[in-house]
Amino acid sequence: MYDSPQYDAGRPGRPRRLVLTVLPPLLALLFLLLLFAVFRDRLPARAYVSDWEPRYAPGWGQWLRSAALSAGAFEVVFLAAFTRYWRWPGLQRWLVACSLATSVSMAAGNGVAVTALIDSAGPTALPAWQAPAEIALTLLGGVAGWWLAGPLPPSPGARTAPPRGVPLLPLAPAQRAVYAVSAWYPRSLLQGAAMLAFGWFGLFNLSRSWQGTVLMGLMGLIAVLSARTRLRIDGSGVEVSLPGLGGLRRVVPYDTVLFASVRPEASGRGLGMIGSSKGWGYVSGRGPVLALRLTDGREFLYSTRDAEAAAALVNASLVRARGAAEC
């Protein structure tokens, strides 16, 4: 059994990512509380803020409790996800972006609705710029969260040669080899189509809020466009690209790979460019799979009929890079 060394890849920068994940919902709630405290004497008796019909609008105390409950729910979800993936800085960075985007959306949408009610005796139409401004601020919040989370900590470098028994392609000192293949993933197409259909249906039938519809539409579009992938293996590393998303690519350098092997098949759950705490890549659920054991404890997986040749080339490149004479 060949085990990779235990390494806490998420330790550098983790306190900052944790604070940036937990703090935004609390700040959004504090903003709404301060807004109400400042203008409470100039607001109508009931909170005509959300999608309630005027006759069902709650009192301000009930509205504030609802806002606190929403902020608390987001807090619990983000904190639970952060602690669940304590050693996965990549997902933590996404959590920071989502936390800040969600909190900005909550503060902006409710803030505009409350200020529109100042010196009003009843419901007031929101300004035409409210929805575009809220969308723009939400996107800016997500980008700011991504930037504030900082760069991901580097993975430790591997120095040992692959173990005996793994596929190996003998290469002469001056010989070069390249492996390239493309693949389609029907599961991603089906998931994306379902998300797009749900978002389209929700746009006209389920809710007047834009957040769920936009999020579902974006997720569906990304899933459809990421259904086709390309894999390239050469002397510089292993590269995965998504032609449908403008050639978006991710490279696995050889110094983060312990060895390559082949599996008859593997589950594709939780994979993709982002991946999960156990690994990332693209798996169709059938056929052989190229599996790279990485130094951060995760794996890279990719379904290809020539997984044996791909693994042999990766191991040959590792042997050459690390100056080992044999596997």
Side-chain angles (χ1 to χ4, degrees):
M1 187 70 179
Y2 190 95
D3 293 323
S4 60
Q6 293 296 318
Y7 174 74
D8 188 354
R11 181 177 299 170
R14 182 189 291 147
R16 176 172 60 179
R17 293 190 295 270
L18 178 59
V19 170
L20 290 173
T21 299
V22 173
L23 193 58
L26 298 178
L27 293 179
L29 179 59
L30 180 60
F31 168 77
L32 296 178
L33 291 173
L34 290 175
L35 189 64
F36 173 74
V38 172
F39 295 104
R40 61 185 306 172
D41 295 333
R42 300 174 59 187
L43 295 173
R46 304 177 71 176
Y48 306 103
V49 173
S50 298
D51 291 334
W52 290 293
E53 295 182 19
R55 58 178 175 170
Y56 296 126
W60 287 102
Q62 183 180 351
W63 175 77
L64 289 173
R65 287 192 294 271
S66 177
L69 183 62
S70 297
F74 285 127
E75 198 75 80
V76 169
V77 170
F78 289 135
L79 185 58
F82 196 101
T83 55
R84 171 66 177 82
Y85 299 106
W86 189 251
R87 294 174 178 265
W88 186 11
L91 181 66
Q92 293 168 8
R93 195 180 193 187
W94 280 101
L95 288 174
V96 171
C98 291
S99 178
L100 197 54
T102 301
S103 302
V104 168
S105 178
M106 176 182 176
N110 286 280
V112 172
V114 171
T115 54
L117 293 171
I118 295 175
D119 297 328
S120 174
T124 303
L126 294 176
W129 51 263
Q130 186 267 341
E134 185 180 347
I135 294 174
L137 289 173
T138 300
L139 293 176
L140 287 175
V143 172
W146 184 269
W147 177 75
L148 289 172
L152 299 180
S155 298
R159 296 180 176 84
T160 59
R164 296 182 181 274
V166 297
L168 179 63
L169 176 66
L171 292 176
Q175 189 177 9
R176 298 291 183 269
V178 175
Y179 177 92
V181 67
S182 62
W184 284 91
Y185 293 90
R187 178 184 302 176
S188 184
L189 280 174
L190 293 175
Q191 290 176 343
M195 291 177 185
L196 289 174
F198 188 82
W200 180 261
F201 181 76
L203 180 64
F204 298 101
N205 297 277
L206 297 181
S207 176
R208 285 176 286 176
S209 63
W210 61 268
Q211 290 91 339
T213 298
V214 171
L215 179 62
M216 194 64 65
L218 287 176
M219 291 174 60
L221 185 62
I222 291 174
V224 169
L225 294 179
S226 63
R228 181 168 179 251
T229 68
R230 289 177 180 169
L231 177 72
R232 177 183 173 88
I233 303 173
D234 56 23
S236 61
V238 180
E239 176 186 295
V240 180
S241 61
L242 304 177
L245 290 175
L248 178 69
R249 68 191 185 102
R250 184 172 177 182
V251 178
V252 183
Y254 285 132
D255 61 356
T256 65
V257 179
L258 294 171
F259 65 90
S261 60
V262 178
R263 293 183 182 177
E265 61 182 17
S267 171
R269 183 178 61 182
L271 298 177
M273 275 292 195
I274 300 175
S276 70
S277 59
K278 294 184 178 180
W280 69 281
Y282 289 85
V283 178
S284 63
R286 60 182 183 276
V289 176
L290 168 67
L292 307 184
R293 179 71 68 86
L294 307 179
T295 55
D296 64 0
R298 299 202 295 163
E299 287 185 313
F300 166 78
L301 305 175
Y302 193 94
S303 293
T304 172
R305 289 178 296 179
D306 299 323
E308 185 85 16
L313 177 56
V314 170
N315 287 323
S317 300
L318 295 178
V319 170
R320 170 179 287 174
R322 293 164 194 172
E326 61 178 356
C327 185

